Amino acid sequence: MPKPRLNPRSLPYCFLLLFSAVISSKIVAQSVTIPVETQHNAIVFQTDKDQQLGTIYFGKKLSKAQEYTQVSAQYQQGSDFTGVLNSVYTPSGSTNLLEPAITVTHADGNNSLNLVYVNHELKNISNNVTLLNISLKDPVYNFKVTLHYKIYFKEDVIEQWSTINHTEKGNVVLHKYASANLYLKGGNFYLTQYHGDWAKEMQPEESKLSHGIKTLDSKLGTRADLFQPPVFMVSLNKLASEDEGTVLFGSLAYSGNFRTDLELDFQDNLRIISGINNYASPYTLKPNEDFVTPVFLYTLSTKGKGLASRNLHNWARNYKLLDGKGNRLTLLNNWEATYFDFNEQKLAGLLKDTKKLGVELFLLDDGWFANKYPRNGDVAGLGDWQENKTKLPNGISSLVKEAKQNQVKFGIWIEPEMVNPKSELYEKHPEWVVKQPNRAEHYFRNQLILDLTNPKVQDFVYGVVADLFTKNPELAYIKWDCNAVIYNAHSATLKNQSHFYIEYVKGLYKVLERIRTKYPKVPMMLCSGGGGRVDYAALQYFTEFWPSDNTDPLERIFMQWEYSYFYPAIASANHVTDWGKQPIKFRTDVAMMGKLGFDIVVSKLPEQDLKFCQEAIKNYNGLKTIIWKGDQYRLSDPGTSNTASMLYLNEEKTSGVIFNYLVNNRYAANSSLPIPLKGLDPEKQYKIQEINLYPGTSSSLKGTQVFSGDFLNTVGFNPDVNSGRTSVVLKIEAVK
């Protein structure tokens, strides 16, 4: 086949089908080569003599595409005893000897599978997005896998998933069904993974990958990433720094059980296989039924972690996060002001405080519902979503009206997937609850999970939201919580219990799809007692997520730093609370690095503290577009320095904001050295001015100095952070 003519200026220049011919001694005639190219990177697939499709290259894009076929000859790593070591989607039961991407039992009971290349097709979705579909088929059985690659050219991001189907004479059982199977070559591989618990989310760990399999997984069912987030990084050859090294960021976009296997094989190459966790979940696939796996997304950077994160941020805002380029509401939450103890009078005062503080929305948290078993604590009431008549005799609608009179909006907390055993819902519908019929119930925060595999339960959960909006059409915000995991997994109505974990997540997404069809733009926070549920499948339905219940600002600096690698600032809900011992300025400055909110008793703030908050909100309103939508640069790592420093810069490189914090109080720690900035135009001149000063204080910095972008990028700027100036916010602007 002749090589197609290409216009290198056209977008997307993502794919080209090379001529099927002998190009090197390693390539057999009539082989098919498929380079998958983004703006800077390429993954290249090629068939062998048996039409097995393998990965022959994954890395920086070459200037001459025809040279991809010469890559394999440069590696002398010994024999491939399997023939499928570099398979794009490794089957089990035939010649494979390593971890498979897919394992099946055919209708006749046979456990072997072989997948050979059939064809591929290319679809242009836009001038930046292309979809490649590759068909693979077993030569013996009527069993097919289609691999999907959605390529975001400018962002260097790839979404990959698979569709599995068959036309055998009977059902096929899927024992493993990955979304993606990557294959990387490198001298060494270094893994950055995360772990945590409630109030300890996103704790990083780094290790050199050794031979064997490293598995990152969750078996919690819901709130799946409480202990093990699905996000990770793999550095090639050496640990990548912020601005140097080759690094892959990856994550499964899925809100249930996930599993990622990283296997260093006997040839010293790395195989990454990621998808739904097949734990307790063999899936019976009927003839002509499609099993569609969730998306595994990844981006490769050859210029360090900072570029990889900005790739993901741009992709998320443009394509994945709900209203990713839209507006967000600053808010005042009543939770830490009242907990469960409130009434209409208290809330009326808080609504006035919302206006006084200068934020846009009041959020009523947990405790507003249930009558037979009032929600006066976390032991009762979940599932009974009627206004509590004692606390709110005039209902939610009166509060919405009160908010409007105070010229602010009104939002509300719900946890509609959950139920307390002490509730009317549990009494009426025990069959709606996830539990084993012959085993004792086991509770997480005194609650159980509603069975979202059941369509009646899906209707109920959707109805909780729909009923609130029917009665209160001006409701402006939903905080959607999820404070339990699945124990004793069992559905009273599901015929095949092995499908439970998968069908549960499908049920959740069905509910969220219905909600977003009816209410497409209403802001919703994805909350789960912390960052135990954030993933890019869920963020298609939510405008923001709650990183952690731990709002101690010192702890939050570290958490928000790690979250920022994978999620843009506009998605991170950061609240000023009374956690920690730091002054109100430090707490507010930290919370400004995302979507700002407050959870404090405004009426008890000292006069100067209130004045500071009011002025800080004004500053934030002037800078929030840059924080939410600008490029993010990590300047000084709190893990290795006395100071943390983060820059947000607009696309034109004319305006930005730098947040600086002291994170070590030992030995008179301070910002002893200048901190080099990043991303500035070296030809521009910039003025740096300190903002967010506490009333009655002045800056130690000269506000009239002008520096070139070259000077600031190369030498840097010292924010003068010390024990007397623990947080310093700097506004940077280009001058003519």
Side-chain angles (χ1 to χ4, degrees):
M1 183 176 71
K3 180 179 177 181
R5 298 183 65 183
L6 298 165
N7 179 1
R9 295 184 178 181
S10 65
L11 287 175
Y13 178 52
C14 300
F15 303 104
L16 57 154
L17 180 61
L18 290 181
F19 54 90
S20 300
V22 178
I23 302 182
S24 79
S25 61
K26 297 276 185 176
I27 307 299
V28 177
Q30 301 306 311
S31 67
V32 176
T33 305
I34 313 169
V36 178
E37 294 190 329
T38 64
Q39 183 171 212
H40 299 107
N41 305 318
I43 305 177
V44 185
F45 309 130
Q46 189 175 75
T47 57
D48 64 11
K49 61 182 177 56
D50 298 317
Q51 292 302 294
Q52 307 276 1
L53 188 65
T55 302
I56 62 168
Y57 182 77
F58 186 9
K60 184 179 179 180
K61 184 166 67 175
L62 301 181
S63 58
K64 295 182 178 180
Q66 63 269 25
E67 291 188 327
Y68 289 127
T69 58
Q70 300 176 30
V71 170
S72 297
Q74 305 308 311
Y75 289 85
Q76 304 294 329
Q77 295 178 295
S79 298
D80 176 356
F81 302 104
T82 71
V84 292
L85 201 60
N86 66 339
S87 173
V88 296
Y89 198 71
T90 312
S92 66
S94 52
T95 65
N96 175 47
L97 300 174
L98 301 177
E99 184 63 29
I102 182 169
T103 303
V104 308
T105 298
H106 294 284
D108 64 1
N110 190 287
N111 291 320
S112 69
L113 182 65
N114 188 20
L115 294 172
V116 299
Y117 170 83
V118 177
N119 57 47
H120 69 278
E121 63 174 354
L122 181 67
K123 296 180 180 179
N124 289 321
I125 297 175
S126 71
N127 67 348
N128 186 57
V129 184
T130 307
L131 178 64
L132 174 69
N133 299 316
I134 301 176
S135 295
L136 309 174
K137 185 183 180 301
D138 191 303
V140 177
Y141 290 89
N142 291 322
F143 187 94
K144 179 182 176 183
V145 174
T146 304
L147 303 180
H148 309 278
Y149 300 83
K150 196 171 187 180
I151 314 302
Y152 299 85
F153 181 81
K154 293 179 182 177
E155 294 81 9
D156 286 325
V157 170
I158 298 177
E159 290 183 290
Q160 184 177 343
W161 70 100
S162 57
T163 299
I164 304 167
N165 55 37
H166 72 93
T167 56
E168 297 184 24
K169 296 179 180 179
N171 296 334
V172 169
V173 178
L174 306 180
H175 301 285
K176 192 173 183 184
Y177 28 81
S179 298
N181 184 167
L182 304 186
Y183 181 77
L184 294 88
K185 290 180 178 289
N188 293 290
F189 301 93
Y190 297 86
L191 173 67
T192 302
Q193 65 182 95
Y194 296 87
H195 69 95
D197 196 352
W198 178 81
K200 296 189 295 184
E201 290 83 359
M202 288 299 284
Q203 304 296 309
E205 288 183 324
E206 292 180 339
S207 60
K208 182 179 179 181
L209 286 169
S210 57
H211 290 85
I213 299 177
K214 173 74 173 184
T215 298
L216 312 177
D217 77 334
S218 174
K219 303 178 181 71
L220 304 183
T222 187
R223 199 180 173 187
D225 50 325
L226 174 62
F227 306 133
Q228 175 74 71
V231 295
F232 65 92
M233 310 177 194
V234 172
S235 300
L236 281 69
N237 301 314
K238 64 178 182 178
L239 269 172
S241 66
E242 198 65 30
D243 304 301
E244 295 181 342
T246 299
V247 62
L248 175 83
F249 282 22
S251 181
L252 190 71
Y254 189 64
S255 305
N257 294 342
F258 60 85
R259 173 177 169 181
T260 298
D261 294 315
L262 301 103
E263 182 174 24
L264 191 62
D265 67 23
F266 57 85
Q267 286 192 345
D268 305 321
N269 301 317
L270 183 64
R271 307 168 71 252
I272 301 175
I273 298 173
S274 186
I276 296 174
N277 197 335
N278 55 338
Y279 160 76
S281 299
Y283 193 89
T284 302
L285 189 67
K286 300 175 183 177
N288 295 306
E289 177 187 359
D290 284 345
F291 184 92
V292 182
T293 69
V295 162
F296 177 71
L297 62 99
Y298 48 98
T299 185
L300 184 74
S301 165
T302 58
K303 295 182 179 180
K305 298 185 290 186
L307 178 60
S309 70
R310 290 186 288 277
N311 288 344
L312 275 185
H313 295 173
N314 289 330
W315 166 82
R317 287 189 296 253
N318 289 331
Y319 298 103
K320 190 59 61 171
L321 177 64
L322 183 66
D323 198 23
K325 302 182 81 171
N327 191 28
R328 297 292 187 271
L329 299 168
T330 53
L331 61 83
L332 175 66
N333 192 2
N334 74 300
W335 180 242
E336 293 198 18
T338 67
Y339 294 100
F340 294 100
D341 182 20
F342 57 82
N343 54 32
E344 285 184 350
Q345 289 70 37
K346 278 188 179 181
L347 296 180
L350 291 173
L351 283 164
K352 290 181 173 61
D353 287 342
T354 306
K355 176 64 176 176
K356 181 179 180 181
L357 183 62
V359 295
E360 301 160 295
L361 177 137
F362 174 76
L363 172 61
L364 175 59
D365 215 292
D366 196 357
W368 58 269
F369 53 92
N371 289 290
K372 182 178 180 180
Y373 303 105
R375 183 70 169 173
N376 295 323
D378 66 4
V379 298
L382 270 182
D384 302 341
W385 298 100
Q386 318 88 19
E387 295 102 328
N388 181 274
K389 295 177 182 178
T390 301
K391 295 180 183 179
L392 305 175
N394 295 302
I396 296 296
S397 59
S398 66
L399 297 174
V400 176
K401 292 177 182 177
E402 182 79 14
K404 189 173 183 180
Q405 290 174 2
N406 283 278
Q407 298 178 304
V408 295
K409 298 179 184 296
F410 187 87
I412 199 164
W413 177 97
I414 56 174
E415 194 175 4
E417 301 161 72
M418 305 294 162
V419 64
N420 286 129
K422 194 174 181 180
S423 67
E424 290 185 85
L425 179 65
Y426 185 89
E427 292 175 345
K428 293 177 181 177
H429 293 290
E431 77 281 4
W432 284 9
V433 178
V434 176
K435 60 178 182 175
Q436 289 283 351
N438 299 316
R439 299 191 186 279
E441 295 174 356
H442 190 73
Y443 307 128
F444 197 111
R445 205 192 180 201
N446 306 302
Q447 62 196 59
L448 294 167
I449 310 283
L450 290 176
D451 179 12
L452 281 173
T453 72
N454 185 340
K456 292 182 179 179
V457 175
Q458 295 170 24
D459 291 340
F460 170 80
V461 175
Y462 169 78
V464 172
V465 178
D467 186 59
L468 280 169
F469 280 106
T470 299
K471 293 178 180 178
N472 310 284
E474 293 185 86
L475 198 63
Y477 187 90
I478 295 288
K479 179 181 177 182
W480 183 301
D481 217 336
C482 171
N483 287 308
V485 299
I486 294 177
Y487 298 117
N488 295 320
H490 179 84
S491 167
T493 58
L494 194 63
K495 292 181 179 179
N496 189 336
Q497 296 299 321
S498 294
H499 292 190
F500 173 81
Y501 285 116
I502 295 171
E503 293 301 326
Y504 178 88
V505 179
K506 285 183 180 178
L508 171 64
Y509 292 159
K510 286 179 183 178
V511 172
L512 293 172
E513 285 283 356
R514 289 175 66 184
I515 290 170
R516 281 311 179 191
T517 299
K518 187 75 177 288
Y519 311 103
K521 291 292 185 180
V522 174
M524 291 206 308
M525 179 202 292
L526 178 62
C527 185
S528 57
R533 207 182 199 182
V534 59
D535 64 83
Y536 273 115
L539 285 176
Q540 296 176 97
Y541 308 106
F542 293 85
T543 49
E544 59 219 56
F545 73 95
W546 183 237
S548 178
D549 276 355
N550 187 343
T551 52
D552 182 315
L554 188 59
E555 297 289 352
R556 272 298 188 109
I557 289 170
F558 291 85
M559 288 184 189
Q560 291 169 198
W561 184 277
E562 299 301 335
Y563 273 119
S564 75
Y565 282 113
F566 302 96
Y567 305 104
I570 193 172
S572 180
N574 307 332
H575 289 187
V576 180
T577 75
D578 290 329
W579 280 48
K581 299 179 181 179
Q582 292 79 14
I584 192 72
K585 170 175 164 53
F586 191 97
R587 287 179 271 152
T588 304
D589 290 351
V590 171
M592 285 175 65
M593 290 196 302
K595 188 253 164 182
L596 178 64
F598 289 81
D599 201 333
I600 55 178
V601 184
V602 176
S603 62
K604 294 184 179 180
L605 284 176
E607 181 181 352
Q608 295 292 74
D609 281 9
L610 175 60
K611 186 177 180 181
F612 168 79
C613 289
Q614 291 169 331
E615 190 62 30
I617 291 168
K618 292 178 183 177
N619 286 333
Y620 179 77
N621 287 338
L623 294 168
K624 62 187 181 184
T625 299
I626 296 173
I627 296 170
W628 294 347
K629 304 172 188 179
D631 290 328
Q632 190 169 1
Y633 295 89
R634 294 168 208 84
L635 307 179
S636 180
D637 188 340
T640 57
S641 173
N642 292 329
T643 59
S645 184
M646 185 82 79
L647 165 66
Y648 300 85
L649 187 66
N650 69 356
E651 185 178 359
E652 297 77 20
K653 302 182 182 299
T654 57
S655 186
V657 57
I658 312 167
F659 294 95
N660 307 275
Y661 312 101
L662 185 68
V663 295
N664 179 14
N665 289 312
R666 302 183 66 198
Y667 303 116
N670 68 335
S671 56
S672 56
L673 303 175
I675 299 173
L677 275 56
K678 300 173 185 177
L680 301 180
D681 185 337
E683 302 300 322
K684 284 184 167 57
Q685 300 292 308
Y686 292 94
K687 177 182 178 182
I688 297 178
Q689 177 185 8
E690 184 173 359
I691 61 172
N692 268 29
L693 291 165
Y694 190 81
T697 66
S698 58
S699 176
S700 63
L701 306 174
K702 295 179 180 179
T704 57
Q705 287 182 289
V706 174
F707 306 88
S708 71
D710 178 55
F711 178 90
L712 292 172
N713 287 339
T714 305
V715 177
F717 183 85
N718 197 318
D720 191 22
V721 173
N722 54 58
S723 60
R725 289 167 50 83
T726 56
S727 64
V728 176
V729 181
L730 304 173
K731 185 177 181 180
I732 180 169
E733 289 185 299
V735 295
K736 295 181 179 180

